Amino acid sequence: MEYEEIKLLKQSEKSTVHLVRTAGGGEQVYVRKRLDGQHPVYQMLRDCPHPCLPRLYEVTVGEDTTTVIEEYIDGSTPDGAQMSGKQLRGMIRQLCGVLEFLHGKGIIHRDIKPSNLLLTEDGQLYLIDFDAARTLKEKQEQDTRLLGTRGFAPPEQYGFAQTDERTDIYALGATLERILGGKAGSSAKKVIRRCMNLDPDKRYQSVREVRQAFFHTGLKASCAAGAVLLLALVGIGMLTFPLWQQSGEPGGDTQSGELTVLPAPGNPHWDGETGTAVWGNVPEAGIASELQFMLRLYKADTQEPPAPDEAGWIFEDKIRMGDTGLRDKESIEWSLATELNGNGIYYFTISAVGDGAQYADSPYSVSDAFIYTGEDAPPLPTPTGLRWEMYEVDNTTHYLATWDNLDVYEDKDSFNVTVYDQNGAYVMNNIWYKRAMEERWRGGMPIQAEYLKLDNRYRFTVEAYSSRPNEYGPSLLPDPAPEEYYSPWLFDEPQRDE
């Protein structure tokens, strides 16, 4: 097909990119790329469509050049400062999804960076520019072409080794670090740091692991539902660890129309000096089996509380809890101790989330003040003597993560246990209060058996979070964590079916 040029989009020594349309004044516009050399990856992509990849209409690979006619995407580079938490979550999920797809086809992009992402107004993400992409080649020690963008490409991309999935994982971390900027919370920063480890063996080994690490709380695909359900059984709220600090995501449509507006949660207040938010329950809140609230945390310079819908919160999260007895509770608790960032005066506001079918979201209610002075408080003791325990009930094996010094903590101190397999891959995590562990699980942390396969080995780490934030800070793992912070192996010798 013949095309006429509309506009030069990009030109370099090795490529020329034009906006074109079919000759004779066709209405539809396309992107035409003329690249020096052979780029067979584009032929693979033409036969492997994906929602996050521009559609390829024509690919011609000659002896010295490659010509590509592809879909024109009307989008812009993602700007985290202008995006809500919901938009950021959607972007990260889409980016991880398309990279998992490409890696499953043996394609390594090798040039992931913000300028190679396009986000449309409706939130659809596209990964573009496969000029540096390659396919994996067995037994090859390094790449034949050393391409990439400084600041986003890892060391192996400059000739130290063959690039593989972990190369894109490094660039993914660098890209998200740039896009999230100041919105990156402690969990996001930890994930990004591991993505960008200079040693490929110490990074996440697949994009699936990255995705699970980003979404391991609240919406994590592999284990969050189980963790929330377990917490609901004992009537406590799960701690929240933000991926980012948010600055403008509404809790939902509060215009009633024909919907009934839910009542605002009553008596929001801080539970003494524990850093725990408490508010009156709204049993009708949430969707299906989940009780849901939208919480915002504010930091103030004075004891003047924010208005219920005031902007400027430093953290926002949709709280989701399984409906096992919680709807009958008079009040809900949710620890915010890990979100207190610097000494100051803190408030939270809380809204009940409607289902959008019968109920609309409630107005926000404002809490009293909490004065945080524990910025330089010493950390809690480190959990020691980590070990696995097992016991049988009704022919069912229960697995518990335990440690020797549980008695040195207070009832509302909580613990984040993270399980890894023999390859160092993240498997799942649970977060429980000490009180619940003692009441329900013999002083241990329950690890769901469905995540523990007999043909693998598992070990865990523990982080302790304080319920006395003005006296003690959290006991966090070093990054990377030395061997002494890990438990012994469960299934030390993998059991295999005969």
Side-chain angles (χ1 to χ4, degrees):
M1 186 177 295
E2 296 294 324
Y3 298 90
E4 59 184 39
E5 297 173 358
I6 300 174
K7 180 181 179 181
L8 177 65
L9 298 178
K10 178 181 177 183
Q11 188 168 23
S12 68
E13 294 181 359
K14 298 183 178 181
S15 67
T16 303
V17 184
H18 279 93
L19 188 66
V20 301
R21 61 189 173 195
T22 53
E27 294 184 1
Q28 186 171 355
V29 296
Y30 308 89
V31 173
R32 184 184 66 197
K33 307 176 72 170
R34 285 179 173 161
L35 313 171
D36 289 351
Q38 296 182 334
H39 295 263
V41 167
Y42 279 103
Q43 290 177 313
M44 296 179 62
L45 293 172
R46 180 189 57 193
D47 300 324
C48 301
H50 186 276
C52 294
L53 299 175
R55 181 178 177 184
L56 300 181
Y57 298 99
E58 299 178 26
V59 178
T60 304
V61 179
E63 291 186 3
D64 301 315
T65 61
T66 299
T67 302
V68 179
I69 303 296
E70 68 179 36
E71 179 184 8
Y72 170 72
I73 305 298
D74 185 11
S76 58
T77 299
D79 180 0
Q82 304 299 321
M83 297 171 68
S84 68
K86 181 179 180 180
Q87 290 169 327
L88 288 169
R89 287 190 291 271
M91 181 204 68
I92 294 174
R93 286 187 186 278
Q94 290 182 79
L95 182 52
C96 288
V98 69
L99 288 176
E100 286 186 73
F101 171 80
L102 293 169
H103 293 172
K105 302 292 183 182
I107 298 173
I108 311 302
H109 188 279
R110 294 206 305 167
D111 200 19
I112 299 168
K113 56 187 177 181
S115 60
N116 280 338
L117 302 177
L118 290 176
L119 192 66
T120 64
E121 289 187 357
D122 62 359
Q124 178 64 46
L125 183 78
Y126 290 88
L127 176 61
I128 64 172
D129 195 350
F130 285 77
D131 300 358
R134 64 181 295 272
T135 55
L136 285 173
K137 296 179 175 62
E138 294 185 4
K139 299 181 180 180
Q140 183 169 301
E141 294 184 356
Q142 67 180 55
D143 296 357
T144 54
R145 293 192 305 153
L146 306 182
L147 300 172
T149 300
R150 292 195 178 276
F152 297 93
E156 66 266 23
Q157 204 158 335
Y158 296 102
F160 294 96
Q162 182 186 189
T163 52
D164 56 22
E165 291 96 333
R166 298 170 299 178
T167 302
D168 281 349
I169 288 171
Y170 181 100
L172 171 63
T175 296
L176 294 179
E177 182 179 51
R178 180 71 60 85
I179 292 174
L180 292 178
K183 286 191 174 183
S186 58
S187 291
K189 290 177 181 177
K190 186 174 182 179
V191 175
I192 288 170
R193 283 198 304 270
R194 183 171 173 186
C195 287
M196 297 179 66
N197 197 298
L198 295 180
D199 183 348
D201 292 336
K202 294 181 179 179
R203 297 175 204 152
Y204 296 102
Q205 300 299 291
S206 70
V207 178
R208 179 175 179 270
E209 291 180 24
V210 178
R211 173 172 53 79
Q212 289 181 337
F214 263 114
F215 297 100
H216 76 278
T217 56
L219 297 178
K220 190 185 75 63
S222 62
C223 76
V228 173
L229 176 60
L230 287 169
L231 289 164
L233 287 171
V234 295
I236 60 174
M238 186 172 70
L239 296 181
T240 172
F241 299 88
L243 295 180
W244 37 77
Q245 302 294 334
Q246 304 186 46
S247 60
E249 182 183 355
D253 181 11
T254 57
Q255 301 301 316
S256 63
E258 297 181 357
L259 303 181
T260 301
V261 178
L262 289 172
N267 190 29
H269 63 278
W270 295 91
D271 180 17
E273 299 294 315
T274 66
T276 298
V278 184
W279 61 89
N281 195 9
V282 180
E284 301 85 1
I287 299 173
S289 63
E290 286 188 343
L291 191 63
Q292 296 185 5
F293 297 87
M294 187 64 71
L295 183 146
R296 295 170 175 171
L297 180 66
Y298 296 79
K299 184 179 181 182
D301 295 326
T302 68
Q303 294 200 24
E304 182 67 28
D309 292 310
E310 184 175 321
W313 54 86
I314 62 171
F315 165 71
E316 181 183 52
D317 195 25
K318 179 178 282 187
I319 297 170
R320 306 172 62 166
M321 294 173 284
D323 183 20
T324 306
L326 283 179
R327 293 188 186 274
D328 296 328
K329 290 179 64 66
E330 292 185 3
S331 61
I332 302 296
E333 297 181 354
W334 201 263
S335 177
L336 292 171
T338 58
E339 315 311 333
L340 304 175
N341 184 17
N343 293 337
I345 303 170
Y346 289 83
Y347 297 86
F348 70 89
T349 62
I350 191 73
S351 167
V353 175
D355 59 8
Q358 182 178 0
Y359 296 106
D361 294 0
S362 80
Y364 279 87
S365 299
V366 184
S367 75
D368 57 358
F370 175 66
I371 300 177
Y372 175 58
T373 59
E375 180 178 353
D376 298 319
L380 285 173
T382 300
T384 58
L386 279 57
R387 65 185 184 277
W388 290 95
E389 291 188 1
M390 294 178 287
Y391 65 93
E392 297 281 338
V393 176
D394 297 330
N395 296 320
T396 299
T397 301
H398 294 268
Y399 299 91
L400 298 179
T402 66
W403 46 98
D404 291 341
N405 60 338
L406 185 65
D407 58 342
V408 306
Y409 302 96
E410 296 290 325
D411 282 353
K412 284 196 174 182
D413 289 344
S414 56
F415 305 91
N416 180 20
V417 170
T418 304
V419 179
Y420 303 88
D421 69 14
Q422 63 191 24
N423 299 314
Y426 167 88
V427 176
M428 57 88 70
N429 77 302
N430 269 346
I431 305 169
W432 281 62
Y433 290 122
K434 172 189 172 180
R435 178 189 64 199
M437 290 168 55
E438 292 184 325
E439 291 176 352
R440 294 281 302 176
W441 295 103
R442 305 183 182 184
M445 176 78 71
I447 306 299
Q448 294 93 308
E450 57 263 35
Y451 301 114
L452 306 174
K453 300 178 181 178
L454 295 179
D455 60 352
N456 209 334
R457 297 191 299 163
Y458 301 91
R459 59 181 182 171
F460 66 86
T461 60
V462 186
E463 292 183 314
Y465 302 115
S466 174
S467 62
R468 298 153 287 164
N470 285 335
E471 298 179 39
Y472 295 99
S475 176
L476 303 178
L477 295 175
D479 186 18
E483 284 296 312
E484 58 264 29
Y485 283 84
Y486 288 88
S487 73
W489 292 103
L490 177 67
F491 311 143
D492 189 51
E493 292 296 331
Q495 305 173 40
R496 304 185 184 279
D497 296 334
E498 298 296 333

